[in-house]
Amino acid sequence: MKTEEAREVRTTCPYCGVGCGVLAEVAANGKITVRGDPNHPANFGRLCSKGSALAETIDLDDRLLYPEIQGHRAGWDEALDLVATKFSQAIAEHGPDSVAFYVSGQLLTEDYYVANKLMKGFVGSANIDTNSRLCMASSVAGHRRAFGSDTVPGTYEDLELADLIVLVGSNLAWCHPVLYQRIVAAREKRPGMKIVVIDPRRTMTADIADLHLAIAPDGDTALFTGLLTYLADNGHLDRDYISRHTNGFDDALSAAGALDLAAVSDRTGIQEEMLARFYSLFAQTQRAVTVYSQGVNQSASGTDKVNAIINCHLATGRIGRPGMGPFSVTGQPNAMGGREVGGLANMLAAHMEIENPQHRDRVQRFWRAPAIAEKPGLKAVEMFRAVADGRIKALWIMATNPADSMPDADAVEAALRACPFVVVSDIAANTDTIRHAHVKLPATGWGEKDGTVTNSERRISRQRAFLPPPGEARPDWWAMVEVAKRMGFAEAFSYDAPAEIFAEHATLSAFENNGARDFDIGAYAGVDDENYEALTPFQWPAPDYSGGKETRFFAHGNFFTPDRKAWFVPVMPAPLKRADNAYPLTLNTGRVRDHWHTMTRTGKSQRLSQHLAEPFAEIHPSDARQYGISDADIVRVSTVHGEVLLRALVTPRQRPGSIFVPMHWTDQFASKARVDALVSPVTDPVSGQPASKNVPARMERFAAHAFGFAVLAERPTAIDADYWSIGRSNGGWRVELALSASRDWTAFAAKLFGHGEQGETLAYHDTANGQHRFARFVGERLARALYLAREPVAVSRGWAVEQLSMTHADRRMRLVVVAGRPGGNQADRGAIVCSCFSVGANQIAQAVQGGCASVEAIGAALQAGTNCGSCRAEIKGIIDARRLQAAE
Ligand SMILES: Nc1nc2c(c(=O)[nH]1)N[C@H]1C(S)=C(S)[C@@H](COP(=O)(O)OP(=O)(O)OC[C@H]3O[C@@H](n4cnc5c(=O)[nH]c(N)nc54)[C@H](O)[C@@H]3O)O[C@H]1N2
Ligand SMILES: Nc1nc2c(c(=O)[nH]1)N[C@H]1C(S)=C(S)[C@@H](COP(=O)(O)OP(=O)(O)OC[C@H]3O[C@@H](n4cnc5c(=O)[nH]c(N)nc54)[C@H](O)[C@@H]3O)O[C@H]1N2
Ligand code: SF4
Ligand SMILES: [Mo]
């Protein structure tokens, strides 16, 4: 794109719920660069590795650019007519509950508002649910049970003001990196600040912890009920707060008393002495924040875990005051905005309740809607069951990839295949979900669309467009408005711009509110295009523009229950599950530092694809020994629902008996690594959130006859191997392979290399040792290289990848490539640790040997860790490991 002069646009990162401000600069030649917005109160200029790499993910490769009907390009009118007709027909023939929307915390608030309004007020069904069901539903349910509303009481500043931060089921260093960095910076200023990490794995986050409790899967309710008992037994209750602002304390305490310390130790797998250390630290420290995320929410007892945590904060009156409170950090950029508009099937708009007839009446009057959903709709897991058994006749999926991210994902795919009419709105042309769509609608993505998002601390920020919409891509709100008009609701959906939608949303938040509901941004009810364009980040509540007032909730009670008192929820740990001999291990799933969910965006960046380049299973050394698995073997992990093939990563950071598998790899990037195909559709009884972190599983070594590694300048069209995974690399692609049987390797290489330019292919065979190597050169360039061996291929990945972008004019250089070993003058960087500057583990280790003894010294010598800082914990790990070695 060419523009007259360089310009800088203030926007917000589209990844995690930290909600960092981003400055996107469009240079005169159209080149985009991004940097952290120094004025944004979430990040003050910082960005993590994913945010820093945003400019690498906005190219148009693999973008969906035109509407399609049954796989053929169609015009928008034709596609929209068809969607409206099919939805209207289903409603006319089978009633409003025969249609559904499955949406996402990655929609902007304006998109989300329109989706919810259309379904709940105009279709008249509450069959709209969102991937937030897989993410925040237990926190929403826990908040509502305790506070009477879905309110996050605290602010980010509390993390800097706290004397104790307890991180429960949160890998903050990788998943909310900028918050993590704010904590690290605060602790550098106040070294007395204590950090406790509660996670079955010793994650990178645990590296800053004073105490890491490697809790048994789902031991959290026991841990926090034990804490409540301890606080009561040792005189640490805030009796005044309890009596003035809460109900139900005695019941909660007696429920908690069901387990004594020995029983808590048994349930949590944490020694009594360690429990006592944590309990006494919490009891002694007034300024304590408990941050929690998916290790809490994604559980069959997720809502109870949330309330067990909140109970401890209510009992000590540590809520809504500086440096104190329970803090659910949200995952997606607009998880909170989705909750504000009522995007969950059991909520109504503007934090109103679907079960409450007054609320229903109020929303219906405000919308002047012909109908209003009378009862909660189907929650995600139930929704896809209803799709499978034919109750849902038409489904519209927007900004989410359920064929990969829903539990029992193969069953979800089968349901999509069976559904009479599936619409998918996405930015990517190829996803595991969109391949089942009857109608594909191209959405504008980050940088191309305008709207707002709300971060974890209730701060609303603008996303602003700085690129023109590519092809015929249109904003999601626009596509829905056009369908609504065609369904006969033109008057209620006559929006021309997102500002109009935002203004209506703000007006509804204040409508007949008068302090009765937490969510109130009435100050913005009159916003026009100009104010909207200029909108600066603000925190709710914002009933008026008074500013500078209280931004926290509940320091003085005032909960959103009828008597304005909070509820203690009596929770008891679920009975211990009996071990399943067929599936003796626990499958735990989650995230890695540099990828985002199903990789449709981060998979485009070679820098982000090099940190962890393959789907893997983290296995404890004792389990590896028992199952005869060595590091870098391929393992088959299976459950009653399915199986996957992954690289074994043997590490003492894992808890014995558990395996951890990332959720990111899909059929677009690996042969068989969709981990949700293994996850049971077991849900929390209160919130309906799936238990994605505790699935009975087994594993075995995959008997590989051969392993392979390849680098290719172009993506191969097909890969014929039992195990493969593919990722972007500098100058092309890298592929990992494993095969169960021997092949004609020359034919195998020819097929993998494809029929492009032929050039010169050099080969080396050592049949006795099972070593085969092939390299194809076109002109002076290496176009393809393949290394095969009986053991996991020992070729340095970083070095091999670099060969794609170097010239290989003379024959000796070419033979070095075939040999797969760097020559004496080329160092092997090792696995990439710092993605911003592509610094590898070997380089860091060498620098440590050369005298660099701190993360700062490494930064000065190699730049590593000096941009986004996401790798600082890993750099510290390498320094510590070297020091240990030196001491031995
Ligand atoms: N890099 C990156 N960052 C992201 C995302 C991403 O895809 N990539 N996604 C974003 C989204 S949507 C979300 S929801 C957040 C999620 O952020 P997090 O919740 O921090 O991430 P997860 O890796 O899903 O899970 C966190 C931890 O829970 C632990 N855990 C498992 N079982 C238990 C248990 O029973 N008890 C306890 N206490 N812990 C347990 C796991 O071992 C894991 O380390 O991240 C956001 N940020
Ligand atoms: N096993 C296991 N499963 C999990 C989890 C886990 O920890 N373990 N975590 C769960 C959680 S917390 C979450 S949040 C989910 C996330 O799971 P998903 O929401 O399925 O994952 P994403 O890859 O973020 O999907 C977003 C999709 O929207 C598209 N997209 C991007 N921008 C836009 C846009 O502006 N408009 C439209 N229409 N489309 C767009 C992307 O290309 C992509 O296809 O996964 C859940 N599933
Ligand atoms: S922490 Fe990283 S991913 Fe999250 S909003 Fe900030 S820059 Fe984006
Ligand atoms: Mo999430």
Side-chain angles (χ1 to χ4, degrees):
M1 187 192 58
K2 291 259 187 294
T3 50
E4 300 289 294
E5 34 185 301
R7 60 203 165 89
E8 195 163 52
V9 176
R10 215 169 271 275
T11 181
T12 310
C13 176
Y15 295 123
C16 85
V18 178
C20 296
V22 172
L23 291 172
E25 194 192 283
V26 186
N29 64 1
K31 189 177 177 339
I32 310 288
T33 42
V34 300
R35 63 189 174 101
D37 180 350
N39 296 325
H40 197 286
N43 56 321
F44 299 106
R46 295 179 179 92
L47 288 182
C48 76
S49 49
K50 295 179 299 300
S52 308
L54 271 166
E56 291 163 38
T57 60
I58 49 182
D59 63 65
L60 299 185
D61 284 1
D62 216 18
R63 275 291 295 269
L64 180 68
L65 294 174
Y66 304 96
E68 284 180 24
I69 297 174
Q70 300 285 13
H72 299 288
R73 184 171 164 181
W76 267 106
D77 267 331
E78 201 188 341
L80 294 165
D81 286 345
L82 183 65
V83 175
T85 306
K86 289 283 186 181
F87 271 75
S88 299
Q89 262 173 9
I91 295 162
E93 286 169 29
H94 306 279
D97 290 334
S98 68
V99 300
F101 291 169
Y102 183 61
V103 301
S104 166
Q106 292 170 72
L107 289 175
L108 302 178
T109 297
E110 295 72 7
D111 303 322
Y112 229 140
Y113 180 87
V114 171
N116 190 59
K117 179 177 176 181
L118 176 56
M119 186 52 84
K120 292 196 178 126
F122 291 78
V123 172
S125 164
N127 281 348
I128 169 169
D129 211 38
T130 130
N131 62 0
S132 277
R133 183 69 58 195
L134 322 175
C135 183
M136 304 314 306
S138 298
S139 279
V140 174
H143 287 155
R144 292 179 69 207
R145 287 206 298 191
F147 310 147
S149 58
D150 174 21
T151 315
V152 174
T155 70
Y156 292 162
E157 197 188 24
D158 293 327
L159 300 172
E160 292 160 333
L161 297 173
D163 294 319
L164 169 66
I165 297 176
V166 184
L167 293 160
V168 196
S170 155
N171 188 5
L172 208 75
W174 281 11
C175 295
H176 297 89
V178 166
L179 278 188
Y180 170 82
Q181 287 171 33
R182 283 180 64 168
I183 293 174
V184 170
R187 192 160 70 162
E188 268 160 23
K189 286 202 202 112
R190 285 192 303 121
M193 183 179 192
K194 292 276 187 284
I195 297 168
V196 177
V197 169
I198 299 165
D199 193 307
R201 305 185 297 145
R202 192 179 164 82
T203 56
M204 278 299 155
T205 307
D207 282 14
I208 48 159
D210 298 279
L211 192 62
H212 168 230
L213 304 179
I215 195 166
D218 286 337
D220 309 83
T221 307
L223 182 71
F224 284 91
T225 51
L227 175 58
L228 187 66
T229 308
Y230 180 96
L231 295 168
D233 288 352
N234 295 279
H236 293 287
L237 300 175
D238 185 338
R239 289 277 175 202
D240 185 50
Y241 191 91
I242 293 174
S243 68
R244 295 213 314 193
H245 301 307
T246 73
N247 288 310
F249 176 70
D250 293 339
D251 288 347
L253 186 62
S254 72
L259 297 185
D260 63 11
L261 196 64
V264 172
S265 169
D266 198 40
R267 292 295 179 92
T268 56
I270 302 167
Q271 291 166 354
E272 284 185 36
E273 178 224 351
M274 293 281 269
L275 287 175
R277 269 176 68 192
F278 168 53
Y279 288 173
S280 117
L281 189 59
F282 190 96
Q284 307 292 338
T285 318
Q286 181 70 355
R287 287 187 170 220
V289 178
T290 308
V291 174
Y292 54 94
S293 184
Q294 299 315 346
V296 168
N297 291 335
Q298 288 173 340
S299 160
S301 54
T303 310
D304 280 356
K305 291 187 189 188
V306 169
N307 287 112
I309 292 169
I310 292 175
N311 283 350
C312 295
H313 281 272
L314 290 174
T316 48
R318 295 177 191 160
I319 187 164
R321 289 189 284 157
M324 298 177 219
F327 203 146
S328 146
V329 282
T330 50
Q332 298 182 91
N334 203 26
M336 293 283 272
R339 285 146 72 172
E340 289 152 16
V341 304
L344 288 159
N346 55 323
M347 298 294 292
L348 213 50
H351 281 201
M352 282 181 267
E353 293 167 0
I354 214 163
E355 290 93 342
N356 183 323
Q358 274 171 334
H359 289 185
R360 289 201 302 269
D361 171 65
R362 185 179 301 136
V363 175
Q364 183 170 11
R365 276 188 287 117
F366 180 83
W367 279 341
R368 296 200 203 96
I372 192 80
E374 298 280 325
K375 57 177 195 316
L378 297 167
K379 300 187 175 114
V381 171
E382 301 165 348
M383 181 184 281
F384 281 93
R385 277 195 192 121
V387 174
D389 65 26
R391 276 174 288 157
I392 301 294
K393 317 285 181 200
L395 173 68
W396 191 346
I397 297 168
M398 240 170 282
T400 178
N401 200 350
D404 295 316
S405 55
M406 283 283 296
D408 203 0
D410 286 346
V412 168
E413 278 211 275
L416 292 177
R417 246 178 262 125
C419 185
F421 190 65
V422 178
V423 184
V424 176
S425 298
D426 207 294
I427 58 168
N430 301 301
T431 74
D432 295 350
T433 299
I434 209 166
R435 62 188 173 192
H436 303 294
H438 299 98
V439 176
K440 301 177 189 174
L441 299 177
T444 42
W446 183 78
E448 301 156 1
K449 59 198 275 180
D450 280 293
T452 55
V453 291
T454 309
N455 74 3
S456 295
E457 61 165 355
R458 291 175 271 101
R459 192 178 297 281
I460 297 179
S461 302
R462 276 292 316 272
Q463 271 196 19
R464 292 186 177 85
F466 54 87
L467 294 167
E472 289 181 5
R474 294 285 177 273
D476 290 301
W477 65 263
W478 179 86
M480 282 180 283
V481 160
E482 288 302 311
V483 168
K485 286 178 183 164
R486 286 164 170 80
M487 289 174 76
F489 311 127
E491 201 184 327
F493 292 87
S494 61
Y495 314 108
D496 290 320
E500 293 169 27
I501 307 172
F502 185 79
E504 183 178 311
H505 168 58
T507 309
L508 174 57
S509 78
F511 184 59
E512 299 174 5
N513 187 335
N514 305 317
R517 306 191 302 270
D518 62 341
F519 178 63
D520 189 338
I521 53 166
Y524 296 84
V527 101
D528 58 18
D529 283 350
E530 207 175 314
N531 307 136
Y532 188 71
E533 196 40 46
L535 203 70
T536 51
F538 71 95
Q539 229 171 346
W540 65 257
D544 48 52
Y545 286 111
S546 57
K549 60 200 173 306
E550 187 54 78
T551 52
R552 299 179 179 87
F553 283 90
F554 310 142
H556 310 287
N558 254 327
F559 292 90
F560 295 92
T561 51
D563 66 358
R564 294 257 142 174
K565 288 182 170 190
W567 275 104
F568 277 95
V569 181
V571 288
M572 249 187 282
L576 282 178
K577 269 197 279 181
R578 222 176 312 136
D580 180 340
N581 290 334
Y583 296 96
L585 297 165
T586 298
L587 170 66
N588 172 13
T589 64
R591 293 158 170 79
V592 304
R593 191 188 77 191
D594 286 356
H595 275 309
W596 178 261
H597 300 157
T598 67
M599 285 168 44
T600 59
R601 285 173 285 169
T602 49
K604 290 180 149 202
S605 156
Q606 58 90 7
R607 275 198 296 157
L608 296 179
S609 300
Q610 57 187 352
H611 175 243
L612 287 162
E614 271 187 282
F616 61 86
E618 258 181 21
I619 303 163
H620 189 267
S622 63
D623 292 324
R625 226 172 293 125
Q626 188 188 333
Y627 288 85
I629 292 163
S630 309
D631 203 28
D633 267 344
I634 302 296
V635 289
R636 178 182 285 117
V637 177
S638 43
T639 69
V640 287
H641 300 285
E643 60 173 56
V644 288
L645 291 174
L646 310 158
R647 183 76 63 180
L649 210 151
V650 178
T651 165
R653 290 179 169 268
Q654 181 56 278
R655 194 177 197 280
S658 285
I659 35 188
F660 176 83
V661 177
M663 63 171 294
H664 308 294
W665 276 267
T666 66
D667 287 354
Q668 312 299 318
F669 293 96
S671 52
K672 211 172 172 42
R674 287 166 54 242
V675 75
D676 269 297
L678 273 61
V679 175
S680 307
V682 170
T683 56
D684 177 275
V686 187
S687 69
Q689 179 157 354
S692 325
K693 300 242 179 303
N694 185 350
V695 186
R698 67 175 175 227
M699 83 176 154
E700 62 195 344
R701 183 170 175 274
F702 169 78
H705 175 85
F707 291 86
F709 172 68
V711 290
L712 304 100
E714 281 145 39
R715 191 180 167 129
T717 45
I719 308 173
D720 175 23
D722 303 278
Y723 170 85
W724 60 260
S725 83
I726 188 165
R728 291 250 182 198
S729 68
N730 205 353
W733 299 84
R734 50 180 288 182
V735 178
E736 299 284 347
L737 301 156
L739 297 102
S740 60
S742 186
R743 299 279 179 90
D744 171 345
W745 296 118
T746 304
F748 180 83
K751 197 166 166 197
L752 182 72
F753 287 1
H755 301 296
E757 285 180 279
Q758 288 299 320
E760 177 196 27
T761 300
L762 299 181
Y764 164 89
H765 301 277
D766 174 354
T767 311
N769 290 311
Q771 301 243 7
H772 302 271
R773 305 184 199 129
F774 303 85
R776 181 191 287 175
F777 297 87
V778 176
E780 294 190 346
R781 291 272 172 185
L782 172 69
R784 317 269 193 267
L786 168 66
Y787 303 91
L788 293 153
R790 289 210 183 115
E791 305 295 318
V793 174
V795 168
S796 158
R797 304 312 196 244
W799 172 82
V801 158
E802 276 171 18
Q803 303 312 304
L804 284 177
S805 35
M806 293 169 65
T807 50
H808 300 273
D810 77 78
R811 190 143 189 100
R812 260 178 325 175
M813 284 286 289
R814 295 186 176 200
L815 292 175
V816 167
V817 172
V818 178
R821 269 192 307 272
N825 56 350
Q826 282 175 287
D828 170 14
R829 287 192 229 173
I832 297 299
V833 174
C834 167
S835 8
C836 295
F837 297 111
S838 294
V839 182
N842 291 352
Q843 288 170 287
I844 295 168
Q846 259 166 18
V848 178
Q849 235 159 5
C852 294
S854 65
V855 177
E856 284 65 34
I858 294 285
L862 300 171
Q863 281 190 294
T866 56
N867 182 40
C868 78
S870 302
C871 61
R872 291 169 69 90
E874 278 157 284
I875 296 174
K876 185 169 174 297
I878 296 173
I879 298 171
D880 293 348
R882 285 275 146 174
R883 279 219 195 106
L884 266 176
Q885 273 175 13
E888 269 166 8

